[in-house]
Amino acid sequence: MQEGEMDDNNRQLLCSSWGNCLHVVEDINRFPPYKEKYQHNFIIMIHEVLKHEAHLFDDDEKRFLELFDSLPDDSQRLLIRLYTRKGPWFRMANVSYPEISDSNNAIEELHDAGYVCLFQSKGPSKCEVDEVMNALTVLELRQIPMLPSMLLERSGICVRVSCTADLLLWRVQRLFFLNGEQDLSSFLLVDLGLVKYPNYTCNTSLPIFRNRNDLLAYEEALDVAEMMDQSLDANDLDTVMRCIEISDDSMSSSCKNISQTPFPDAATFLSCFTASWVYSKVVTLGVSFFECEQRYGDAVRLLKGLLKRITCDGRRGYWTLRLSIDLEHMGYINESLLVAEEGLLDPWVRAGSKLALQKRVLRLGKPPRRWKTPSFAKSINRSIKEVHVMGRPLNCETGMKIRFYGYDGEQCGVEQLALQHYAEEGGWKGVHAESGIWLTIFGLVMWDVIFADIPNVFRTKFQTAPLDLNTDRFYMERESLIEAHLQKICEGMAEEILIKSWQSHEGMACRGVNWERHSLTDLRAAVLCIGGSCLVSLCRHLAQDYRSWSSGMPDLLIWRFRGGETDGGEAKLVEVKSARDRLSEQQRAWLLLLMDCGFAVEVCKVSPMPPSI
């Protein structure tokens, strides 16, 4: 075929293949095949961060990181090995790896470059002594007094990653993965084929941190947040109070509220990488702490500060609800009612929080405080169908979750007993999955939308979802794409889309999708019986507000065909409760929403049989 005869698809394929070839050649030149895989990955991580985030490091830090490239292979490998091990100190006698030919020489080179520190006879500090003791066995500790010289005699020379290297490599790792959950092991999981990430385009035009000061402030906030978590676990109340004070003061001293981020409106989802956002999480924990201590005045002070400073955030519903509740605890009923009423006018108050505030307004706003019944009263007071199931209890002890004997005589919980009841009474099939099966269906049928090429939402190759999924921007940036896709589902293409997505992406890590728990057979049956109209409504709600609607779904999804699959079917969502359980506000909000979407919903109350039966 002559070039002029080549069609557009073939031309694009040729260009793409040639680009891949050039990329492979470049990779081979930069990372020769004799390098260990983990070494190769580590170098990629440093190169990528220095390429895209160089403005966040000062000259000395950049030189320090760039120096890694000039180190011999043995030194590079040993540093990575030490960095990924639990330390901080390691006995030189135990530092040995098959791919490192001369560990002693590598240690010397790393020490000269400032990447490691040594514990030896040159006057170790008390801190070093305490840390090195952790490298000894219990028997060795019993055999020596607390003297540095004798400790050194027992331990021999010890090595640790230097504080400078530890800090900078931690920073590189966080900037590369953009979270504190993933680390170098993510590379390993991919290399071993244990985790597969979706295919998407990393199209970045905005930096996450404008400058070094923003990054350092963010890191300092993370330190405070970590300290808060540790102090709550250890019941260290003094430190908890200090963390709350630091966070509240830091937010107060900021001249800009959290909605006025350095990002344009289309990228406000990146505000979670600001110090103010992290401090707001600590303050929110502080609210819960004060409420547990019945210090409602302090909780109210923090909540008012959050609501004043943070004007655009999905957490406003929770904060408003807690403020109204705490004011009522303090006896300020009129103010509590006013807060609830004003909260209902806030576009950021949604889902379960909105329903809870509506119920508070109805309860607190009776004459003589309010004479007019709100327009939403009829809607939220709608009755939800209930069915009652009797079960033979295995235990009825107070404070314990009741277990039952199922229809098959085996022990089971209330949800399994309910599934058996529906199977026995109406031939229903189904799963106890709460939100899990719905998020799986959403992830599969909306896969192409979730991983569409949108600027700045994909920044690493290790993401399971775009960065804006939990924000309003997800729908706003993709509205035309989403609505066109939902139209196909409405026209009856849901099963076809589901099957194609499963076959193309099976096993890939996507937020919400659980490949092991739900079979394609069950998912196909569920989608067919749910019907296009109901599925479209649910997917649209998740696309518009994934954060609010990705939890709290009813316990069971059950379905049945009227005849064969071609005859259509029906589906039902069931919230299962024991006799003494009540619906949460989020659960009731879900059931009412699902009723509005056209779903059949009901609450299944499971009660133990009376002893006489």
Side-chain angles (χ1 to χ4, degrees):
M1 178 183 295
Q2 299 297 319
E3 182 178 354
E5 300 174 354
M6 186 180 297
D7 61 30
D8 288 341
N9 288 335
N10 285 329
R11 186 179 294 106
Q12 291 177 4
L13 179 61
L14 178 61
C15 291
S16 175
S17 300
W18 178 246
N20 290 336
C21 290
L22 293 177
H23 183 70
V24 170
V25 171
E26 180 185 356
D27 262 9
I28 291 176
N29 289 334
R30 290 172 61 194
F31 312 112
Y34 59 79
K35 287 187 181 294
E36 293 291 332
K37 190 64 176 177
Y38 69 84
Q39 179 187 5
H40 167 88
N41 294 336
F42 196 82
I43 293 173
I44 286 179
M45 186 176 70
I46 293 177
H47 283 190
E48 287 296 306
V49 170
L50 288 178
K51 177 182 178 181
H52 299 290
E53 312 290 350
H55 65 290
L56 303 178
F57 299 87
D58 62 31
D59 291 340
D60 288 339
E61 291 171 341
K62 283 187 281 191
R63 278 193 292 268
F64 187 85
L65 290 171
E66 289 166 352
L67 178 62
F68 185 81
D69 262 353
S70 64
L71 294 173
D73 285 337
D74 275 359
S75 298
Q76 290 184 356
R77 294 168 185 169
L78 186 57
L79 177 66
I80 301 168
R81 285 288 200 172
L82 296 178
Y83 179 72
T84 53
R85 282 179 59 179
K86 183 179 179 180
W89 289 95
F90 308 97
R91 301 166 82 166
M92 279 290 293
N94 296 337
V95 176
S96 176
Y97 300 97
E99 75 275 20
I100 299 173
S101 58
D102 190 342
S103 296
N104 290 328
N105 186 56
I107 289 292
E108 289 182 12
E109 291 170 338
L110 289 172
H111 181 259
D112 292 341
Y115 279 97
V116 300
C117 300
L118 299 177
F119 176 84
Q120 45 194 348
S121 59
K122 297 179 181 179
S125 67
K126 182 182 183 302
C127 179
E128 289 177 326
V129 170
D130 292 342
E131 290 179 338
V132 171
M133 286 176 61
N134 293 325
L136 300 184
T137 65
V138 174
L139 179 60
E140 288 172 327
L141 287 172
R142 288 174 178 169
Q143 293 175 344
I144 63 172
M146 293 291 291
L147 295 174
S149 59
M150 298 191 71
L151 175 61
L152 183 62
E153 181 181 338
R154 287 283 177 178
S155 68
I157 297 176
C158 292
V159 62
R160 65 163 293 171
V161 175
S162 69
C163 294
T164 299
D166 193 50
L167 171 63
L168 291 180
L169 293 178
W170 174 87
R171 182 176 297 163
V172 165
Q173 192 166 261
R174 180 170 281 277
L175 287 171
F176 185 82
F177 292 107
L178 291 179
N179 58 56
E181 301 169 2
Q182 293 171 301
D183 54 28
L184 286 167
S185 63
S186 298
F187 280 107
L188 178 62
L189 295 175
V190 171
D191 292 340
L192 295 176
L194 299 177
V195 175
K196 295 185 293 184
Y197 289 92
N199 298 316
Y200 48 78
T201 302
C202 291
N203 177 7
T204 58
S205 58
L206 290 173
I208 288 186
F209 300 98
R210 292 177 305 174
N211 51 52
R212 177 179 171 83
N213 288 338
D214 284 356
L215 172 63
L216 295 180
Y218 175 69
E219 290 179 351
E220 185 176 339
L222 290 177
D223 289 340
V224 174
E226 183 179 6
M227 189 186 306
M228 180 70 166
D229 289 338
Q230 293 173 348
S231 302
L232 287 171
D233 290 340
N235 201 30
D236 182 354
L237 304 189
D238 290 338
T239 305
V240 168
M241 290 296 299
R242 179 62 179 154
C243 291
I244 296 172
E245 180 183 351
I246 291 172
S247 301
D248 193 40
D249 288 347
S250 297
M251 294 186 68
S252 298
S253 63
S254 177
C255 297
K256 53 191 178 183
N257 69 42
I258 203 167
S259 66
Q260 295 171 335
T261 67
F263 312 108
D265 290 343
T268 51
F269 57 88
L270 296 178
S271 63
C272 63
F273 297 104
T274 62
S276 294
W277 194 87
V278 177
Y279 284 130
S280 71
K281 291 187 65 177
V282 177
V283 173
T284 302
L285 285 175
V287 170
S288 299
F289 169 75
F290 284 137
E291 288 176 339
C292 290
E293 297 288 313
Q294 297 186 353
R295 295 172 57 174
Y296 300 114
D298 289 320
V300 165
R301 174 178 57 83
L302 294 182
L303 287 165
K304 286 183 175 180
L306 288 168
L307 289 166
K308 179 180 179 180
R309 300 173 193 128
I310 305 175
T311 58
C312 300
D313 193 293
R315 296 171 294 174
R316 286 182 61 84
Y318 172 78
W319 295 333
T320 303
L321 176 60
R322 296 315 309 173
L323 178 58
S324 179
I325 291 173
D326 291 341
L327 286 168
E328 184 180 10
H329 282 312
M330 297 174 69
Y332 301 138
I333 307 300
N334 288 328
E335 187 178 356
S336 173
L337 173 58
L338 185 60
V339 165
E341 289 175 330
E342 291 177 346
L344 293 178
L345 302 177
D346 187 337
W348 292 95
V349 174
R350 303 164 180 173
S353 297
K354 184 173 183 177
L355 179 66
L357 288 173
Q358 289 174 330
K359 293 179 71 175
R360 290 187 65 76
V361 168
L362 290 180
R363 180 172 62 82
L364 298 177
K366 296 177 180 178
R369 293 193 185 92
R370 301 289 187 272
W371 294 95
K372 184 178 179 180
T373 302
S375 59
F376 54 75
K378 184 177 180 180
S379 175
I380 71 168
N381 285 328
R382 284 177 291 171
S383 62
I384 299 174
K385 181 182 177 180
E386 289 189 1
V387 297
H388 295 269
V389 175
M390 304 294 287
R392 187 158 60 96
L394 177 66
N395 66 306
C396 292
E397 298 179 29
T398 303
M400 293 184 64
K401 188 171 183 179
I402 299 180
R403 302 279 296 172
F404 292 89
Y405 289 104
Y407 285 48
D408 55 2
E410 299 294 325
Q411 298 179 20
C412 65
V414 290
E415 295 86 4
Q416 287 72 32
L417 185 64
L419 282 173
Q420 293 177 18
H421 163 77
Y422 284 105
E424 186 80 11
E425 296 296 320
W428 296 89
K429 294 183 178 181
V431 291
H432 169 215
E434 300 177 2
S435 298
I437 190 168
W438 295 104
L439 298 186
T440 295
I441 291 173
F442 176 79
L444 290 174
V445 301
M446 302 293 286
W447 190 286
D448 290 343
V449 172
I450 293 171
F451 296 102
D453 185 6
I454 303 295
N456 298 302
V457 299
F458 293 109
R459 307 184 74 96
T460 84
K461 287 297 184 181
F462 296 88
Q463 291 179 223
T464 59
L467 293 177
D468 65 347
L469 179 60
N470 277 346
T471 72
D472 289 18
R473 300 306 307 184
F474 179 81
Y475 181 83
M476 295 169 66
E477 287 291 313
R478 306 164 179 80
E479 182 174 0
S480 60
L481 180 62
I482 289 172
E483 291 303 327
H485 197 71
L486 293 180
Q487 183 61 35
K488 294 179 181 179
I489 295 174
C490 190
E491 293 169 356
M493 295 180 62
E495 185 189 17
E496 179 184 340
I497 294 172
L498 177 78
I499 295 171
K500 181 180 178 181
S501 183
W502 179 286
Q503 293 174 343
S504 301
H505 311 299
E506 184 177 1
M508 289 185 180
C510 173
R511 186 178 305 172
V513 175
N514 191 324
W515 299 98
E516 290 76 27
R517 188 171 183 181
H518 309 293
S519 69
L520 178 57
T521 301
D522 281 350
L523 294 174
R524 289 179 61 188
V527 164
L528 282 170
C529 293
I530 290 167
S533 178
C534 288
L535 187 58
V536 163
S537 295
L538 185 64
C539 287
R540 182 178 287 115
H541 275 87
L542 284 168
Q544 291 174 334
D545 192 358
Y546 191 88
R547 175 175 178 163
S548 295
W549 297 114
S550 58
S551 62
M553 280 284 276
D555 295 302
L556 310 182
L557 169 61
I558 57 177
W559 61 84
R560 63 184 177 187
F561 291 101
R562 296 187 183 93
E565 289 188 13
T566 57
D567 299 323
E570 57 184 323
K572 187 183 297 186
L573 291 105
V574 183
E575 184 65 47
V576 183
K577 294 291 180 184
S578 64
R580 53 178 179 256
D581 285 341
R582 298 176 57 188
L583 291 172
S584 70
E585 303 297 355
Q586 179 75 354
Q587 289 168 339
R588 184 171 176 81
W590 254 123
L591 291 172
L592 294 177
L593 171 71
L594 291 166
M595 290 169 62
D596 292 338
C597 291
F599 283 92
V601 302
E602 59 191 39
V603 177
C604 179
K605 290 287 187 76
V606 180
S607 304
M609 294 177 179
S612 58
I613 297 181

